[in-house]
Amino acid sequence: MNRAPRHCKTGSDMNKIKIPLLAAAFAALFSLSGCTVWYDFTTYFNLYYNVSLDFEQAEAQIIEQRKDLFSLTEPALPGNSNQLMNKVIEKCSKLLQFNSESSFVDDALMMLGKSFFYQKNYLKSLRKFQEIIATQKESGLILEARLWEAKSEIALRNYSTGVPMLEEVIQEAYAAKEEDLMIEGYVSLIRYYLQEEDDQRAIRFLLELVGRSDNSQVNSLAMYKVGELYLKNNDPRLAGDAFERVLTYTSDYETEFNALVKRSRVKRELGETQQALSDFRSLRSEAKYSDKYDVIDLEIGISLNAAGRPDAALEHFYFIDTSYASSVNAAGIKYEIASLYEEVYKNYDSASVYYQKGLTVPSTADYLEKLRFKAQLFTKYTSLTTLLNGYKRDLTYTLDPAKYSADSAAIADTQQVLQSETARVQQEEEKQPAGRNRERDFEEEEEEITKKEEPVPAAAPGKSSALQKPTLTADSLSSMIIKASLDLGNLFFTEFEINDSAFYHYNYITENFKSGYALEPKVLFALGSFYLSEDDTARADSLFNYIYDNFKTDRIVNAAADKIGKPTIDFDFDPAKQLFIEAEKKMLSGDVTNSYNDFYNIFINHPSSPFASKSLYTCGFLLENDLRLGDSAVSVYDTLVKYYPSSQYASAVTPKVSFYRSEKLRIEANRKDSLMRIEMEKTRKAKEDSLKNAQPQQIIEEQKPGEEKPEGEDNPEGEEKKAEEPGRYSLVIRKLQIDNYNSFYIVIDHRYRLVSGIA
């Protein structure tokens, strides 16, 4: 389907060319055609040959990576193919830049386009294919370029352009007998319809491809896909015919085997169980399918069960369960064993064990999904059963303490005997000579293995193995029993679809517990649904009517009303809803004041209504935006956040309220700061005024410049200090007490003028 570049041979062919012959051929060409041939010759060996080999190698890796011809996604670039593609892009770009006159331009553009396509750079690939069509009109690659142009358009999701173009290319390729291009076109078109889940058109084009193609392997893959699509659309008979046709073509090993298996599965589904079983046994006898024996043996077991031989099927599954423990079908084998226990033998405990085991071994995708669902279902069943049995036991002991005492004593005696026996067996085993176990016969050995697989649980060291005395009251235990029984009955009724078991649990509740328990309407409805499934409409309607008449406050009453055609009860009625609508009308009409009062009254009178928070939000909105009362709006928003913190309206106003509060704090802080500065200024001015009007308590004596007073004279306390102004004056510093202010030091010059005051 992907043609090699036309101007080159493969690497192995090139190695076979003899140098003399090659030289002679090109010499002849050069003599005939001159510079053009020489230009192509140098281009070929200098650049094109190497780049074409790189491209062929990378494309071969990509095609080999594609396991499914009709896969919806292109495979990831394997190995070093991405590096090879980068080399191709680099070298082809050089060829186009420096050898644009050679005859290899169209091939270079084609390799560039395909390289970009494989790297999923569809826009660049589209441009290269369009460049071939626009500039290389005489090229033999035009039809192939149009095919890849259509593929690029579809990859870019330009379906309205790409799909019609693809259909047109298919018809032209068929007419021109370009089978590889035709097949590639069909494959791309079929992938598109599979992606769109248009199975009918996909089947139509698959069958059309088979009718036109001479490629036997492609035809086998196409018919196999047809069979899968018929199975998907629940048409097993046509699917079987398609799988049968696969075998008429030359197929690869996997396709042939899968077609054989699915053909026999279809026969089994159509009721031809014996023929299906015979087919699978025939496959099992062929040595060439030895690597597929796990699949075949699994299908043989399923066919045995379908043929009405569940015991033989279970025996067969047990045998192959150990044979294929590491096979990817190990989970499928365990699933089928579990299904037999569930559906045939009704042994839900064993079914649960095997469903859980199926999740711990290798699995195919289809079995893994089914195992997860079943394991979850049976885990719920096991949990409910354990709870129910425990609650029933505790209720029995609560109502009959003597039975609790007797059972506790019996268990203690039994465990004492078991411990003594265990000690005795251990002592005997220690005395036995080595190799004794080898002399036992098969039955004794199997019995010993069974005992080891199912040991009797012993009490943990330091822990009592006696029965735990119930701590709950009889009423609490009764409520738990009712709930567990109802849940278990619903599990049987809806999931397992075993009506008899469901009825057992529903009926157990009604017969063992007096009317008036909390779950009574639900139990009665479940019982009515059971009778309805059994076509006992008289009993069902009687129960539904009883529920409707006696449980008006329980929502299950509406389910009963639907069953008997009576009017339902509006449990979601909210009187605040209509009040909100009326208040909203007033608001929209411009009556802001009255609408505000109505909204606020909804909050006051219906605080639990969903409309209460919405009403408070609307009140705040009106105060903020219509009445321009910001403080009042914040007060309402605060109320909203306080009473309805988790509502969407509280979330909407919280940032606004937080910002408002922070601004208020900032403004208040600024106000206090301003007041403090004013007070400080007043204090400073008062001090200055007092200083100017002050009368010293002591007379400051005049001093002549240069004279010094003896230290301590007229200054017994050392309050007077002397400072000298360099070069001119002697200064006196004296401490004064003025009015009620603190002491001041003043500096006076020799003329008794105030120089400065120091606090």
Side-chain angles (χ1 to χ4, degrees), residues 579-598:
L579 294 174
F580 186 90
I581 293 172
E582 293 173 0
E584 194 174 35
K585 288 179 180 177
K586 291 181 182 180
M587 180 185 69
L588 295 175
S589 66
D591 189 357
V592 176
T593 302
N594 287 326
S595 66
Y596 172 84
N597 292 332
D598 290 348

Side-chain angles (χ1 to χ4, degrees), residues 324-385:
Y324 306 117
S326 60
S327 164
V328 73
N329 287 288
I333 295 169
K334 286 180 168 54
Y335 178 87
E336 297 300 335
I337 293 174
S339 295
L340 282 169
Y341 278 125
E342 176 192 353
E343 297 170 8
V344 178
Y345 302 108
K346 307 301 180 186
N347 186 339
Y348 298 119
D349 293 332
S350 296
S352 178
V353 168
Y354 273 95
Y355 282 134
Q356 293 293 341
K357 284 183 177 179
L359 293 175
T360 64
V361 295
S363 175
T364 57
D366 53 343
Y367 270 114
L368 182 60
E369 184 178 352
K370 292 190 288 186
L371 278 165
R372 283 174 177 167
F373 172 75
K374 287 290 189 179
Q376 184 178 6
L377 189 64
F378 274 85
T379 298
K380 187 176 181 181
Y381 161 79
T382 303
S383 175
L384 286 172
T385 302

Side-chain angles (χ1 to χ4, degrees), residues 17 64 120 133 143 163 189 242 294 368 430 436 519 587 600 604 622 744:
I17 298 176
E64 185 179 355
K120 300 185 179 181
I133 297 168
L143 188 59
V163 173
L189 188 61
D294 56 337
L368 182 60
E430 291 173 359
R436 165 89 166 61
L519 293 174
M587 180 185 69
Y600 199 76
I604 296 297
L622 292 174
F744 277 76

Side-chain angles (χ1 to χ4, degrees), residues 537-571:
T537 55
R539 287 187 180 181
D541 289 348
S542 175
L543 287 169
F544 294 142
N545 277 295
Y546 182 81
I547 294 170
Y548 189 81
D549 294 336
N550 294 277
F551 299 99
K552 295 289 188 181
T553 59
D554 196 301
R555 288 181 177 269
I556 199 73
V557 72
N558 284 338
D562 290 337
K563 298 290 186 182
I564 54 181
K566 289 190 175 182
T568 58
I569 298 172
D570 186 6
F571 286 98

Side-chain angles (χ1 to χ4, degrees), residues 678-690:
I678 292 171
E679 288 298 320
M680 290 176 65
E681 181 65 23
K682 287 180 179 180
T683 302
R684 187 190 65 78
K685 191 171 183 182
K687 288 181 179 181
E688 288 182 356
D689 292 344
S690 298

Side-chain angles (χ1 to χ4, degrees), residues 97-354:
Q97 182 178 1
F98 300 110
N99 304 89
S100 59
E101 300 300 323
S102 74
S103 60
F104 301 106
V105 170
D106 55 349
D107 285 286
L109 287 171
M110 179 63 70
M111 286 189 288
L112 266 177
K114 287 185 178 182
S115 297
F116 286 133
F117 187 92
Y118 290 133
Q119 290 184 335
K120 300 185 179 181
N121 193 338
Y122 301 120
L123 190 59
K124 284 188 176 181
S125 69
L126 177 63
R127 289 172 181 168
K128 294 304 173 186
F129 298 132
Q130 289 175 339
E131 187 177 346
I132 294 174
I133 297 168
T135 63
Q136 307 295 315
K137 298 186 182 296
E138 302 301 321
S139 171
L141 302 179
I142 295 294
L143 188 59
E144 185 176 3
R146 287 173 57 200
L147 169 66
W148 283 85
E149 179 189 14
K151 291 176 64 172
S152 299
E153 293 281 11
I154 291 175
L156 290 168
R157 301 185 179 182
N158 299 327
Y159 302 129
S160 59
T161 303
V163 173
M165 186 185 300
L166 201 55
E167 292 180 351
E168 184 179 333
V169 168
I170 289 171
Q171 299 306 323
E172 291 186 22
Y174 176 66
K177 297 184 179 180
E178 292 280 356
E179 186 175 34
D180 289 347
L181 295 182
M182 179 194 73
I183 291 173
E184 183 69 25
Y186 271 118
V187 169
S188 299
L189 188 61
I190 291 162
R191 284 181 191 165
Y192 164 73
Y193 285 118
L194 290 173
Q195 177 182 310
E196 296 296 305
E197 296 186 352
D198 189 345
D199 293 344
Q200 295 307 313
R201 288 194 179 184
I203 291 172
R204 169 195 155 195
F205 284 110
L206 282 164
L207 293 174
E208 191 174 294
L209 167 61
V210 172
R212 289 181 169 185
S213 170
D214 292 327
N215 189 318
S216 185
Q217 188 167 359
V218 169
N219 290 347
S220 69
L221 293 172
M223 286 309 305
Y224 185 81
K225 194 66 180 181
V226 170
E228 287 188 322
L229 291 174
Y230 278 135
L231 281 181
K232 177 184 172 185
N233 289 274
N234 299 315
D235 196 337
R237 195 165 298 280
L238 288 177
D241 293 341
F243 291 131
E244 191 73 45
R245 285 186 62 183
V246 171
L247 304 176
T248 64
Y249 299 105
T250 302
S251 305
D252 60 86
Y253 175 76
E254 291 291 334
T255 304
E256 177 186 341
F257 176 76
N258 291 334
L260 287 167
V261 170
K262 291 191 175 182
R263 181 195 63 174
S264 299
R265 284 180 185 170
V266 168
K267 289 180 180 180
R268 186 174 65 216
E269 186 177 343
L270 293 173
E272 302 173 21
T273 54
Q274 290 299 331
Q275 183 60 50
L277 184 58
S278 176
D279 289 346
F280 285 123
R281 283 177 169 164
S282 177
L283 285 176
R284 185 65 170 79
S285 65
E286 295 189 37
K288 73 172 184 176
Y289 298 125
S290 59
D291 62 324
K292 302 291 187 181
Y293 281 168
D294 56 337
V295 178
I296 300 170
D297 280 332
L298 175 60
E299 295 296 337
I300 288 174
I302 297 172
S303 300
L304 284 169
N305 185 35
R309 299 168 58 188
D311 293 342
L314 186 60
E315 183 180 355
H316 177 78
F317 283 133
Y318 271 141
F319 176 76
I320 65 174
D321 185 34
T322 54
S323 301
Y324 306 117
S326 60
S327 164
V328 73
N329 287 288
I333 295 169
K334 286 180 168 54
Y335 178 87
E336 297 300 335
I337 293 174
S339 295
L340 282 169
Y341 278 125
E342 176 192 353
E343 297 170 8
V344 178
Y345 302 108
K346 307 301 180 186
N347 186 339
Y348 298 119
D349 293 332
S350 296
S352 178
V353 168
Y354 273 95

Side-chain angles (χ1 to χ4, degrees), residues 6 11 19 26 53 61 92 209 315 444 470 502 650 729 736:
R6 57 178 180 169
I19 298 298
F26 275 100
L53 288 181
Q61 290 178 5
C92 284
L209 167 61
E315 183 180 355
E444 290 177 340
Y729 303 107
L736 300 178

Side-chain angles (χ1 to χ4, degrees), residues 453-692:
E453 288 180 347
E454 300 179 0
V456 177
K463 294 186 179 180
S464 174
S465 59
L467 283 176
Q468 296 296 321
K469 190 172 183 179
T471 57
L472 298 174
T473 64
D475 289 341
S476 297
L477 289 168
S478 296
S479 298
M480 293 176 176
I481 290 172
I482 291 170
K483 185 179 186 308
S485 295
L486 177 61
D487 290 343
L488 198 53
N490 290 338
L491 189 68
F492 279 115
F493 189 69
T494 59
E495 301 293 346
F496 292 120
E497 297 182 357
I498 304 175
N499 288 5
D500 292 344
S501 296
F503 174 75
Y504 168 81
H505 290 286
Y506 297 149
N507 195 53
Y508 172 83
I509 298 171
T510 59
E511 288 187 352
N512 290 277
F513 299 95
K514 294 181 180 179
S515 178
Y517 50 88
L519 293 174
E520 184 177 9
K522 292 180 174 59
V523 172
L524 295 177
F525 183 83
L527 194 56
S529 299
F530 162 76
Y531 284 127
L532 200 61
S533 69
E534 297 292 315
D535 295 327
D536 192 345
T537 55
R539 287 187 180 181
D541 289 348
S542 175
L543 287 169
F544 294 142
N545 277 295
Y546 182 81
I547 294 170
Y548 189 81
D549 294 336
N550 294 277
F551 299 99
K552 295 289 188 181
T553 59
D554 196 301
R555 288 181 177 269
I556 199 73
V557 72
N558 284 338
D562 290 337
K563 298 290 186 182
I564 54 181
K566 289 190 175 182
T568 58
I569 298 172
D570 186 6
F571 286 98
D572 298 321
F573 175 72
D574 187 353
K577 181 178 180 180
Q578 188 59 36
L579 294 174
F580 186 90
I581 293 172
E582 293 173 0
E584 194 174 35
K585 288 179 180 177
K586 291 181 182 180
M587 180 185 69
L588 295 175
S589 66
D591 189 357
V592 176
T593 302
N594 287 326
S595 66
Y596 172 84
N597 292 332
D598 290 348
F599 283 127
Y600 199 76
N601 286 332
I602 291 174
F603 161 66
I604 296 297
N605 299 321
H606 306 281
S608 60
S609 168
F611 289 93
S613 59
K614 189 175 182 180
S615 296
L616 273 180
Y617 177 80
T618 310
C619 287
F621 180 86
L622 292 174
L623 289 169
E624 179 186 359
N625 298 282
D626 289 86
L627 300 175
R628 303 294 179 182
L629 300 173
D631 290 341
S632 299
V634 171
S635 178
V636 171
Y637 289 149
D638 269 332
T639 305
L640 172 61
V641 173
K642 178 181 178 181
Y643 288 99
Y644 308 102
S646 59
S647 69
Q648 58 177 322
Y649 306 106
S651 301
V653 302
T654 297
K656 188 181 296 185
V657 172
S658 299
F659 177 76
Y660 177 85
R661 286 175 178 167
S662 64
E663 281 297 296
K664 290 282 285 185
L665 291 173
R666 186 184 64 80
I667 293 170
E668 180 63 18
N670 289 340
R671 186 185 69 82
K672 289 181 178 180
D673 189 51
S674 298
L675 290 174
M676 185 179 295
R677 285 198 298 269
I678 292 171
E679 288 298 320
M680 290 176 65
E681 181 65 23
K682 287 180 179 180
T683 302
R684 187 190 65 78
K685 191 171 183 182
K687 288 181 179 181
E688 288 182 356
D689 292 344
S690 298
L691 186 61
K692 289 179 181 178

